[in-house]
């Protein structure tokens, strides 16, 4: 995701896309940080769960510390045991049982966020959000042809790998209450 070029005119909507793609992309900063340390098995696919206010507040509180650690990691490398220990410590400091627990909560939040229309801040589903972003990029007259081609390729690829349906519908209302804070925290980690 670091290579994805975003024009200023669509930065907010692209931040939500970045969150959506982080759920399904193996090259995002969050996915990179969640790779298993050397010698350990890779983590299982995301387990959907019912979120709580406490969990969302914990992710928001931990995000700055998590970003400080993960921003230093080179792309597509597994963190060393020292980095893993730092991530575990930050997760526990903010009320999570482990870094895996923190990641599962963050992934569930990101899954829900991926379906919010950034203009209306209403949940419409990730497919509708991506289609709206495609229309925005196609209509953008200020975007260079190269950037437009790259953005459309990324968006069309995201459309081919849809996010799973939300199993816990209560998460939508909960994430909606924290929408602005979550977009600020999670949307800026790219």
């Amino acid at each position: 995701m670091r290579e994805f070029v975003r024009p200023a005119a669509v930065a907010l909507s692209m931040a939500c896309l970045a969150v959506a793609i982080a759920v399904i992309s193996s090259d995002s900063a969050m996915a990179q940080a969640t790779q298993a340390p050397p010698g350990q098995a890779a983590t299982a696919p995301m387990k959907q769960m019912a979120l709580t206010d406490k969990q969302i507040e914990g992710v928001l509180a931990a995000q700055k510390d998590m970003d400080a650690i993960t921003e230093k990691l080179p792309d597509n490398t597994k963190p060393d045991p020292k980095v893993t220990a730092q991530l575990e410590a930050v997760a526990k400091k903010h009320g999570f049982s482990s870094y895996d627990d923190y990641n599962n909560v963050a992934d569930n939040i990101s899954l829900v966020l991926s379906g919010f229309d950034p203009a209306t801040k209403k949940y419409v589903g990730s497919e509708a959000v991506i289609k709206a972003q495609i229309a925005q990029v196609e209509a953008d007259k200020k975007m260079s042809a190269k950037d437009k081609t790259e953005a459309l390729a990324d968006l069309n690829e995201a459309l081919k790998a849809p996010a799973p349906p939300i199993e816990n519908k209560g998460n939508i209302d909960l994430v909606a209450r924290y929408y602005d804070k979550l977009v600020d925290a999670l949307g800026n980690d790219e």
Side-chain angles (χ1 to χ4, degrees):
M1 284 304 299
R2 291 180 195 269
E3 300 84 24
F4 188 72
V5 179
R6 285 172 269 216
V10 294
L12 180 59
S13 63
M14 298 311 281
C16 286
L17 172 64
V19 171
I21 293 175
V23 173
I24 58 176
S25 175
S26 64
D27 67 345
S28 71
M30 182 175 283
Q32 172 192 79
T34 62
Q35 292 177 346
Q40 291 185 8
T43 56
M46 183 187 76
K47 177 184 158 205
Q48 289 195 43
M49 62 191 300
L51 296 168
T52 66
D53 286 289
K54 183 178 177 184
Q55 289 170 321
I56 291 178
E57 290 165 2
V59 166
L60 289 169
Q63 197 59 41
K64 187 175 181 179
D65 293 339
M66 292 292 185
D67 285 348
I69 296 168
T70 59
E71 285 174 355
K72 298 174 188 173
L73 296 176
D75 286 340
N76 300 320
T77 61
K78 297 177 182 179
D80 65 35
K82 182 180 174 183
V83 172
T84 303
Q86 291 174 332
L87 295 170
E88 285 285 336
V90 170
K92 289 179 180 180
K93 172 183 169 186
H94 293 286
F96 298 95
S97 62
S98 67
Y99 182 59
D100 286 341
D101 181 34
Y102 163 85
N103 273 325
N104 193 43
V105 171
D107 288 348
N108 274 269
I109 292 168
S110 295
L111 176 64
V112 176
L113 271 178
S114 71
F116 272 82
D117 177 351
T120 63
K121 299 180 184 179
K122 302 284 184 204
Y123 185 84
V124 296
S126 61
E127 184 176 334
V129 170
I130 295 169
K131 286 179 179 179
Q133 290 167 340
I134 289 170
Q136 281 180 323
V137 170
E138 288 173 339
D140 191 337
K141 304 287 188 219
K142 296 177 184 174
M143 196 174 198
S144 73
K146 181 180 184 248
D147 288 347
K148 189 177 282 196
T149 300
E150 289 175 11
L152 288 172
D154 287 343
L155 289 166
N156 282 312
E157 192 62 33
L159 200 55
K160 291 177 188 174
I166 305 297
E167 293 175 6
N168 299 288
K169 302 298 182 195
N171 289 353
I172 295 169
D173 292 334
L174 188 60
V175 167
R177 287 201 310 258
Y178 291 91
Y179 179 84
D180 291 324
K181 290 179 182 178
L182 288 166
V183 169
D184 287 344
L186 300 177
N188 292 332
D189 69 349
E190 295 301 308

